[in-house]
Amino acid sequence: MAINLATKFLPYVDEKFSTESKKSLLTNQDFNWTGAHTVKVYKVSTSQMNDYERNTPDGMSGSRYGAVKDLDATTEEFTLKKDRSFTFVIDKLDTDETVRNVQAASALERQVREVVIPEVDSYTYGVMCRDAGQKPAAKALSKSNIYTEILAGNNALDNAEVPETGRIIVVTPDVYALMKQCKDIVMETDIGNDLRLKGVISNLDGAMVIKVPANRLPENFGFMIAHPCATVAPTKLEDYKTHDDPPGISGSLVEGRICYDAFVLDNKAKAIYYHAQAEGQAEGQETP
């Protein structure tokens, strides 16, 4: 005689792995977007240095300081383009017949962690790589050249007079593995707990190192060195809510909306150095 054994479902959901955002380390919130969807930023030129004419010949007019010139004042205009949303329903019968982990509050938190944050991260990193002011020719990275290439990136930022403190080196897990195999790299891992909580894993050549999953970065990403002064990443609106038994639905309706964008400032673009790998070159593969 066949016996159907009872099945017990534990109050557990097989969650997907997800990584906390490290965007705040690489960007700033310097502008006030309250009451505005567009922000204009002035760019003002400077004047060249002249030789002071102490002994002006008789009959000559004009300033001894040199020719007087007007300063150019132009503007950069930043308009938020990303206005994104989501919605889903949790039927009341589903809630009654399943564990509390699929209820509205936990489902909303899961949506933000596994969908919203990765999208915003991917978009922001893509803008930074696209608009980086310093882009060397694409080159495959290996354990033999990774340190040399990072030094070249930091050197480029030095020559562009980018602040030495606050720089961030962004790498994928595969590139970080190359760094650990490089005999010339000695990384400082004595990092404060506050920085570790934000995702900093070490220091190299005066810059903090963070790992970002490859699926949140552009294709053929090698590494990026960036100072947060270069990129403004505003979130104008972040609105998440649940509705119990709204008209036409027996259960919970979950809705979310986020309005965000990322902009690289023209005069600070050289504070971003982006090294792309040669197209089709697998990370971790040695160059011939």
Side-chain angles (χ1 to χ4, degrees):
M1 180 178 68
I3 300 176
N4 293 324
L5 299 178
T7 301
K8 180 179 180 181
F9 288 91
L10 298 175
Y12 177 85
V13 174
D14 187 12
E15 303 281 7
K16 291 183 179 179
F17 289 119
S18 59
T19 305
E20 293 295 329
S21 176
K22 300 177 180 68
K23 179 174 72 90
S24 62
L25 288 170
L26 291 157
T27 61
N28 67 76
Q29 301 285 334
D30 289 348
F31 303 143
N32 184 4
W33 297 78
T34 303
H37 203 72
T38 298
V39 169
K40 292 184 178 181
V41 181
Y42 281 103
K43 296 187 297 181
V44 182
S45 64
T46 55
S47 177
Q48 67 181 18
M49 296 295 288
N50 305 299
D51 291 327
Y52 181 79
E53 296 290 347
R54 182 177 179 184
N55 298 311
T56 305
D58 294 340
M60 285 191 64
S61 61
S63 171
R64 294 185 178 188
Y65 292 88
V68 180
K69 295 183 178 180
D70 292 328
L71 295 184
D72 296 326
T74 58
T75 60
E76 296 175 73
E77 185 171 294
F78 302 130
T79 301
L80 299 181
K81 299 179 293 295
K82 304 296 286 185
D83 194 352
R84 303 280 283 163
S85 61
F86 63 83
T87 183
F88 57 85
V89 169
I90 299 179
D91 189 87
K92 186 172 291 185
L93 194 59
D94 291 338
T95 302
D96 181 67
E97 294 179 349
T98 56
V99 295
R100 63 178 179 272
N101 296 67
V102 297
Q103 293 178 348
S106 57
L108 174 57
E109 189 274 336
R110 187 178 302 113
Q111 174 77 14
V112 172
R113 185 181 68 247
E114 296 180 7
V115 179
V116 177
I117 288 176
E119 176 184 305
V120 176
D121 276 5
S122 296
Y123 177 80
T124 302
Y125 300 144
V127 169
M128 294 178 70
C129 293
R130 183 195 67 200
D131 297 339
Q134 308 203 60
K135 297 180 186 178
K139 180 190 295 185
L141 296 173
S142 68
K143 64 183 181 183
S144 302
N145 70 2
I146 181 64
Y147 190 39
T148 302
E149 296 302 330
I150 289 177
L151 289 179
N154 250 339
N155 184 65
L157 265 64
D158 288 341
N159 286 326
E161 301 187 56
V162 177
E164 293 184 22
T165 58
R167 296 180 188 177
I168 307 289
I169 301 174
V170 183
V171 296
T172 63
D174 286 340
V175 172
Y176 184 63
L178 294 179
M179 294 169 67
K180 294 177 72 174
Q181 295 173 51
C182 177
K183 59 182 177 58
D184 297 320
I185 292 181
V186 178
M187 287 183 285
E188 181 185 341
T189 57
D190 186 16
I191 306 297
N193 190 56
D194 57 333
L195 291 176
R196 285 195 179 277
L197 291 175
K198 292 180 179 180
V200 177
I201 53 177
S202 63
N203 276 301
L204 177 64
D205 198 30
M208 293 180 286
V209 180
I210 63 173
K211 279 189 299 185
V212 173
N215 59 4
R216 296 193 191 182
L217 295 164
E219 190 176 1
N220 301 317
F221 183 92
F223 68 87
M224 176 170 61
I225 308 176
H227 193 283
C229 69
T231 308
V232 183
T235 299
K236 169 71 175 178
L237 174 69
E238 196 169 12
D239 184 28
Y240 308 119
K241 52 194 173 184
T242 62
H243 308 273
D244 292 330
D245 295 327
I249 295 175
S250 174
S252 298
L253 173 66
V254 181
E255 296 174 325
R257 181 185 179 192
I258 180 169
C259 183
Y260 67 93
D261 216 320
F263 309 97
V264 175
L265 298 170
D266 288 347
N267 285 343
K268 293 185 173 66
K270 287 190 176 181
I272 303 177
Y273 182 95
Y274 172 49
H275 179 113
Q277 299 218 64
E279 189 171 354
Q281 177 71 54
E283 289 183 347
Q285 179 178 337
E286 292 284 349
T287 52

